[in-house]
Amino acid sequence: MSDIRLFAAERASVARTSEGNLIAVRGTRDGAVFTADWYEAHALEGRVFGANMGSVTTPLTFLITLANRPDAWIRVPDNTMILPLSVHVVLEAATGPATETDVRIAQNDIGNGTSSAATVGPVSMRTDAPVTSNCVARQLATGDTTAETNPMSVWRQTVITASAAGNDAVSQQHITRADMGYPVLVGPATIEVFVAATTTQATGFVIITWVEFPERS
C-alpha cells in the first residue's frame, strides 16, 4: 500500500528551487494537491509561441480564395511537432456581404509561395524566449504555395451580415484547440487560415498560438 504525503502551503510565499532539484509536493491543509495546467507548464518552459498577421492599426486585406493561396499560415518543418492552441480572427470590416473563414491543416509544408513574413512572430510567449521556434509564419500568398497534401478543414464559419465597423459579434472569431478537434501537426505540416468574401474582401487580423516540441519529445 502506498502512502503519499505533501507539505500544506497556504501562505503568501512558498518554496522555490533551481532546475533539476527535488522539491516537496505542495497542497492545501486538507491534502488537495496543487498541479499546474499542462499547457501552462509548457508556457513556463518557453514552448508556447504566437504569431500576428496584421498589427496595431494596420489590418490585412484578405485575399479572394484561390487554391494554394492562404491568408495566414504556420509552416511546421520536419523533426518538429506542434499542437495548435488557438486561432483568433478579427474582421475589422466585412462588407462582402458574406465572408467565410476556413481553418485547415495539411500533411506537408506548403512553403512560402509569393507571400510576406508574418507581421510578428513566431514569438515565445515567455518573454525571455529560452526556446526558439523552428516554425515559419507567413501571410498573404499572392502567388501559389506548394499544393496541400490531404488538406482538411478543422473549423469554418460564414459571416452573412455585412459589417463596416467590425462590431458584429461573429466578426470576433476565437477558435480554440477543442473547436479545431485537437489537431497534432507532425512536420512537415501546415496550419492555414483562409478568409474570403463574395465581393469586397474583408480586412482584419489573425493571431495564431501553438505549443511546439521536437518531433520525438
Side-chain angles (χ1 to χ4, degrees), residues 173-210:
Q173 302 168 349
H174 183 68
I175 307 153
T176 68
R177 177 162 176 74
D179 293 332
M180 291 184 279
Y182 302 99
V184 178
L185 276 64
V186 179
T190 310
I191 181 168
E192 311 162 80
V193 180
F194 293 78
V195 181
T198 49
T199 54
T200 304
Q201 298 310 304
T203 62
F205 306 87
V206 178
I207 302 168
I208 303 175
T209 62
W210 67 95

Short mmCIF file of all heavy atoms in Angstrom, two decimals, residues 173-210:
data_model
loop_
_atom_site.label_atom_id
_atom_site.label_comp_id
_atom_site.label_asym_id
_atom_site.label_seq_id
_atom_site.Cartn_x
_atom_site.Cartn_y
_atom_site.Cartn_z
N GLN A 173 -13.77 36.06 -34.05
CA GLN A 173 -13.78 34.60 -34.12
C GLN A 173 -12.60 34.04 -33.32
O GLN A 173 -11.47 34.07 -33.78
CB GLN A 173 -13.70 34.15 -35.58
CG GLN A 173 -14.83 34.69 -36.44
CD GLN A 173 -14.60 34.50 -37.92
OE1 GLN A 173 -13.50 34.14 -38.36
NE2 GLN A 173 -15.62 34.74 -38.71
N HIS A 174 -12.90 33.57 -32.11
CA HIS A 174 -11.86 32.97 -31.28
C HIS A 174 -12.03 31.45 -31.34
O HIS A 174 -13.00 30.90 -30.82
CB HIS A 174 -11.92 33.45 -29.84
CG HIS A 174 -10.82 32.89 -28.99
ND1 HIS A 174 -9.50 33.24 -29.17
CD2 HIS A 174 -10.83 31.98 -27.99
CE1 HIS A 174 -8.75 32.58 -28.31
NE2 HIS A 174 -9.54 31.80 -27.58
N ILE A 175 -11.09 30.79 -31.99
CA ILE A 175 -11.19 29.36 -32.31
C ILE A 175 -10.23 28.61 -31.41
O ILE A 175 -9.01 28.79 -31.48
CB ILE A 175 -10.85 29.12 -33.80
CG1 ILE A 175 -11.72 30.03 -34.69
CG2 ILE A 175 -11.03 27.66 -34.17
CD1 ILE A 175 -11.07 30.38 -36.01
N THR A 176 -10.75 27.79 -30.52
CA THR A 176 -9.94 27.10 -29.54
C THR A 176 -9.42 25.78 -30.10
O THR A 176 -9.87 25.28 -31.15
CB THR A 176 -10.73 26.81 -28.26
OG1 THR A 176 -11.75 25.84 -28.56
CG2 THR A 176 -11.38 28.08 -27.73
N ARG A 177 -8.51 25.18 -29.36
CA ARG A 177 -7.99 23.85 -29.74
C ARG A 177 -9.13 22.83 -29.79
O ARG A 177 -9.18 22.00 -30.70
CB ARG A 177 -6.90 23.42 -28.75
CG ARG A 177 -6.36 22.04 -29.03
CD ARG A 177 -5.01 21.81 -28.35
NE ARG A 177 -4.57 20.45 -28.57
CZ ARG A 177 -4.10 19.97 -29.71
NH1 ARG A 177 -4.00 20.77 -30.76
NH2 ARG A 177 -3.74 18.70 -29.83
N ALA A 178 -10.04 22.91 -28.85
CA ALA A 178 -11.18 22.00 -28.85
C ALA A 178 -12.05 22.23 -30.09
O ALA A 178 -12.52 21.28 -30.72
CB ALA A 178 -12.00 22.17 -27.58
N ASP A 179 -12.27 23.51 -30.46
CA ASP A 179 -13.06 23.81 -31.66
C ASP A 179 -12.45 23.18 -32.91
O ASP A 179 -13.17 22.79 -33.83
CB ASP A 179 -13.17 25.32 -31.87
CG ASP A 179 -13.97 26.02 -30.80
OD1 ASP A 179 -14.87 25.38 -30.21
OD2 ASP A 179 -13.70 27.21 -30.53
N MET A 180 -11.12 23.11 -32.94
CA MET A 180 -10.43 22.56 -34.11
C MET A 180 -10.33 21.04 -34.10
O MET A 180 -9.84 20.44 -35.06
CB MET A 180 -9.02 23.17 -34.21
CG MET A 180 -9.01 24.65 -34.56
SD MET A 180 -7.33 25.32 -34.78
CE MET A 180 -6.84 25.60 -33.06
N GLY A 181 -10.78 20.40 -33.02
CA GLY A 181 -10.75 18.94 -32.97
C GLY A 181 -9.42 18.37 -32.54
O GLY A 181 -9.10 17.23 -32.87
N TYR A 182 -8.62 19.15 -31.80
CA TYR A 182 -7.35 18.71 -31.21
C TYR A 182 -6.33 18.22 -32.27
O TYR A 182 -5.80 17.11 -32.16
CB TYR A 182 -7.59 17.62 -30.17
CG TYR A 182 -8.50 18.06 -29.05
CD1 TYR A 182 -9.85 17.72 -29.06
CD2 TYR A 182 -8.01 18.85 -28.02
CE1 TYR A 182 -10.70 18.15 -28.05
CE2 TYR A 182 -8.86 19.28 -26.99
CZ TYR A 182 -10.19 18.92 -27.02
OH TYR A 182 -11.04 19.35 -26.02
N PRO A 183 -6.02 19.01 -33.28
CA PRO A 183 -5.05 18.56 -34.28
C PRO A 183 -3.64 18.48 -33.71
O PRO A 183 -3.25 19.27 -32.85
CB PRO A 183 -5.14 19.65 -35.36
CG PRO A 183 -5.59 20.87 -34.62
CD PRO A 183 -6.52 20.37 -33.55
N VAL A 184 -2.88 17.52 -34.21
CA VAL A 184 -1.47 17.34 -33.88
C VAL A 184 -0.71 17.40 -35.20
O VAL A 184 -0.88 16.52 -36.06
CB VAL A 184 -1.21 16.00 -33.17
CG1 VAL A 184 0.28 15.82 -32.88
CG2 VAL A 184 -2.02 15.91 -31.86
N LEU A 185 0.11 18.42 -35.38
CA LEU A 185 0.83 18.59 -36.63
C LEU A 185 2.26 18.12 -36.46
O LEU A 185 3.05 18.73 -35.74
CB LEU A 185 0.81 20.06 -37.07
CG LEU A 185 -0.43 20.52 -37.85
CD1 LEU A 185 -1.68 20.43 -36.99
CD2 LEU A 185 -0.26 21.92 -38.39
N VAL A 186 2.59 17.02 -37.12
CA VAL A 186 3.93 16.45 -37.10
C VAL A 186 4.59 16.83 -38.42
O VAL A 186 4.11 16.45 -39.50
CB VAL A 186 3.89 14.92 -36.91
CG1 VAL A 186 5.30 14.34 -36.92
CG2 VAL A 186 3.17 14.56 -35.61
N GLY A 187 5.68 17.59 -38.34
CA GLY A 187 6.29 18.12 -39.55
C GLY A 187 6.84 17.06 -40.48
O GLY A 187 7.24 15.98 -40.03
N PRO A 188 6.84 17.37 -41.78
CA PRO A 188 6.38 18.62 -42.38
C PRO A 188 4.85 18.70 -42.42
O PRO A 188 4.18 17.74 -42.79
CB PRO A 188 6.97 18.58 -43.79
CG PRO A 188 7.16 17.11 -44.09
CD PRO A 188 7.46 16.45 -42.78
N ALA A 189 4.33 19.86 -42.02
CA ALA A 189 2.88 20.07 -41.95
C ALA A 189 2.61 21.58 -41.97
O ALA A 189 3.53 22.39 -41.87
CB ALA A 189 2.30 19.44 -40.70
N THR A 190 1.33 21.93 -42.08
CA THR A 190 0.93 23.34 -42.14
C THR A 190 -0.44 23.52 -41.51
O THR A 190 -1.32 22.67 -41.69
CB THR A 190 0.86 23.85 -43.60
OG1 THR A 190 2.07 23.50 -44.29
CG2 THR A 190 0.66 25.36 -43.66
N ILE A 191 -0.63 24.62 -40.78
CA ILE A 191 -1.97 25.08 -40.41
C ILE A 191 -2.20 26.38 -41.16
O ILE A 191 -1.32 27.26 -41.19
CB ILE A 191 -2.15 25.24 -38.89
CG1 ILE A 191 -3.59 25.70 -38.58
CG2 ILE A 191 -1.11 26.15 -38.26
CD1 ILE A 191 -3.97 25.62 -37.11
N GLU A 192 -3.38 26.51 -41.79
CA GLU A 192 -3.67 27.64 -42.68
C GLU A 192 -4.99 28.29 -42.32
O GLU A 192 -5.90 27.64 -41.82
CB GLU A 192 -3.77 27.16 -44.13
CG GLU A 192 -2.66 26.27 -44.61
CD GLU A 192 -3.08 25.52 -45.85
OE1 GLU A 192 -3.03 26.13 -46.95
OE2 GLU A 192 -3.48 24.34 -45.75
N VAL A 193 -5.08 29.58 -42.63
CA VAL A 193 -6.33 30.32 -42.46
C VAL A 193 -6.65 31.01 -43.79
O VAL A 193 -5.80 31.72 -44.35
CB VAL A 193 -6.21 31.38 -41.34
CG1 VAL A 193 -7.53 32.13 -41.19
CG2 VAL A 193 -5.80 30.73 -40.03
N PHE A 194 -7.87 30.77 -44.27
CA PHE A 194 -8.38 31.45 -45.46
C PHE A 194 -9.56 32.31 -45.03
O PHE A 194 -10.46 31.84 -44.33
CB PHE A 194 -8.87 30.44 -46.50
CG PHE A 194 -7.80 29.59 -47.13
CD1 PHE A 194 -7.26 28.51 -46.45
CD2 PHE A 194 -7.34 29.86 -48.41
CE1 PHE A 194 -6.29 27.71 -47.03
CE2 PHE A 194 -6.37 29.07 -49.00
CZ PHE A 194 -5.83 28.00 -48.30
N VAL A 195 -9.57 33.58 -45.44
CA VAL A 195 -10.70 34.48 -45.18
C VAL A 195 -11.07 35.12 -46.51
O VAL A 195 -10.24 35.80 -47.12
CB VAL A 195 -10.33 35.57 -44.15
CG1 VAL A 195 -11.55 36.46 -43.89
CG2 VAL A 195 -9.83 34.95 -42.84
N ALA A 196 -12.30 34.90 -46.96
CA ALA A 196 -12.67 35.43 -48.28
C ALA A 196 -14.13 35.83 -48.32
O ALA A 196 -14.97 35.23 -47.64
CB ALA A 196 -12.39 34.40 -49.37
N ALA A 197 -14.44 36.83 -49.12
CA ALA A 197 -15.80 37.35 -49.24
C ALA A 197 -16.34 37.11 -50.65
O ALA A 197 -15.58 36.80 -51.58
CB ALA A 197 -15.82 38.84 -48.93
N THR A 198 -17.64 37.26 -50.77
CA THR A 198 -18.27 37.06 -52.07
C THR A 198 -17.97 38.20 -53.03
O THR A 198 -17.93 38.00 -54.24
CB THR A 198 -19.79 36.93 -51.90
OG1 THR A 198 -20.27 38.01 -51.08
CG2 THR A 198 -20.16 35.62 -51.22
N THR A 199 -17.76 39.40 -52.50
CA THR A 199 -17.43 40.55 -53.37
C THR A 199 -16.25 41.31 -52.78
O THR A 199 -15.12 40.94 -53.00
CB THR A 199 -18.66 41.48 -53.57
OG1 THR A 199 -19.16 41.86 -52.29
CG2 THR A 199 -19.75 40.77 -54.35
N THR A 200 -16.53 42.35 -52.00
CA THR A 200 -15.45 43.15 -51.39
C THR A 200 -14.75 42.34 -50.31
O THR A 200 -15.40 41.82 -49.41
CB THR A 200 -16.02 44.44 -50.78
OG1 THR A 200 -16.71 45.16 -51.79
CG2 THR A 200 -14.90 45.30 -50.21
N GLN A 201 -13.43 42.24 -50.40
CA GLN A 201 -12.69 41.42 -49.44
C GLN A 201 -12.59 42.11 -48.08
O GLN A 201 -12.42 43.33 -48.00
CB GLN A 201 -11.29 41.10 -49.98
CG GLN A 201 -11.31 40.30 -51.27
CD GLN A 201 -12.21 39.08 -51.18
OE1 GLN A 201 -12.05 38.23 -50.31
NE2 GLN A 201 -13.19 38.99 -52.07
N ALA A 202 -12.70 41.31 -47.04
CA ALA A 202 -12.64 41.82 -45.67
C ALA A 202 -11.24 42.28 -45.31
O ALA A 202 -10.24 41.87 -45.93
CB ALA A 202 -13.10 40.74 -44.70
N THR A 203 -11.17 43.12 -44.30
CA THR A 203 -9.89 43.47 -43.69
C THR A 203 -9.91 42.98 -42.25
O THR A 203 -10.98 42.86 -41.64
CB THR A 203 -9.64 44.99 -43.72
OG1 THR A 203 -10.66 45.65 -42.96
CG2 THR A 203 -9.63 45.51 -45.14
N GLY A 204 -8.72 42.72 -41.70
CA GLY A 204 -8.70 42.27 -40.32
C GLY A 204 -7.36 41.72 -39.90
O GLY A 204 -6.32 41.98 -40.53
N PHE A 205 -7.39 40.95 -38.83
CA PHE A 205 -6.18 40.47 -38.16
C PHE A 205 -6.32 38.98 -37.86
O PHE A 205 -7.42 38.48 -37.66
CB PHE A 205 -5.96 41.23 -36.85
CG PHE A 205 -5.94 42.73 -37.00
CD1 PHE A 205 -7.13 43.46 -36.96
CD2 PHE A 205 -4.75 43.40 -37.18
CE1 PHE A 205 -7.12 44.84 -37.10
CE2 PHE A 205 -4.73 44.79 -37.32
CZ PHE A 205 -5.91 45.51 -37.28
N VAL A 206 -5.18 38.29 -37.79
CA VAL A 206 -5.15 36.88 -37.39
C VAL A 206 -4.07 36.71 -36.32
O VAL A 206 -2.97 37.25 -36.45
CB VAL A 206 -4.84 35.95 -38.58
CG1 VAL A 206 -4.78 34.50 -38.13
CG2 VAL A 206 -5.87 36.12 -39.69
N ILE A 207 -4.41 35.99 -35.26
CA ILE A 207 -3.45 35.62 -34.22
C ILE A 207 -3.47 34.11 -34.09
O ILE A 207 -4.55 33.52 -33.92
CB ILE A 207 -3.80 36.25 -32.86
CG1 ILE A 207 -3.88 37.77 -32.96
CG2 ILE A 207 -2.78 35.84 -31.79
CD1 ILE A 207 -4.51 38.44 -31.74
N ILE A 208 -2.32 33.47 -34.22
CA ILE A 208 -2.22 32.02 -34.09
C ILE A 208 -1.26 31.70 -32.94
O ILE A 208 -0.17 32.28 -32.86
CB ILE A 208 -1.72 31.36 -35.39
CG1 ILE A 208 -2.64 31.72 -36.57
CG2 ILE A 208 -1.63 29.84 -35.23
CD1 ILE A 208 -2.15 31.21 -37.92
N THR A 209 -1.66 30.80 -32.06
CA THR A 209 -0.78 30.35 -30.98
C THR A 209 -0.66 28.83 -31.01
O THR A 209 -1.60 28.14 -31.41
CB THR A 209 -1.28 30.80 -29.59
OG1 THR A 209 -2.56 30.22 -29.34
CG2 THR A 209 -1.38 32.31 -29.49
N TRP A 210 0.47 28.35 -30.57
CA TRP A 210 0.73 26.90 -30.58
C TRP A 210 1.79 26.55 -29.56
O TRP A 210 2.56 27.39 -29.12
CB TRP A 210 1.15 26.43 -31.96
CG TRP A 210 2.49 26.94 -32.44
CD1 TRP A 210 3.71 26.31 -32.35
CD2 TRP A 210 2.76 28.20 -33.11
NE1 TRP A 210 4.71 27.08 -32.90
CE2 TRP A 210 4.15 28.23 -33.36
CE3 TRP A 210 1.96 29.28 -33.50
CZ2 TRP A 210 4.76 29.32 -33.99
CZ3 TRP A 210 2.57 30.36 -34.11
CH2 TRP A 210 3.94 30.38 -34.37
#
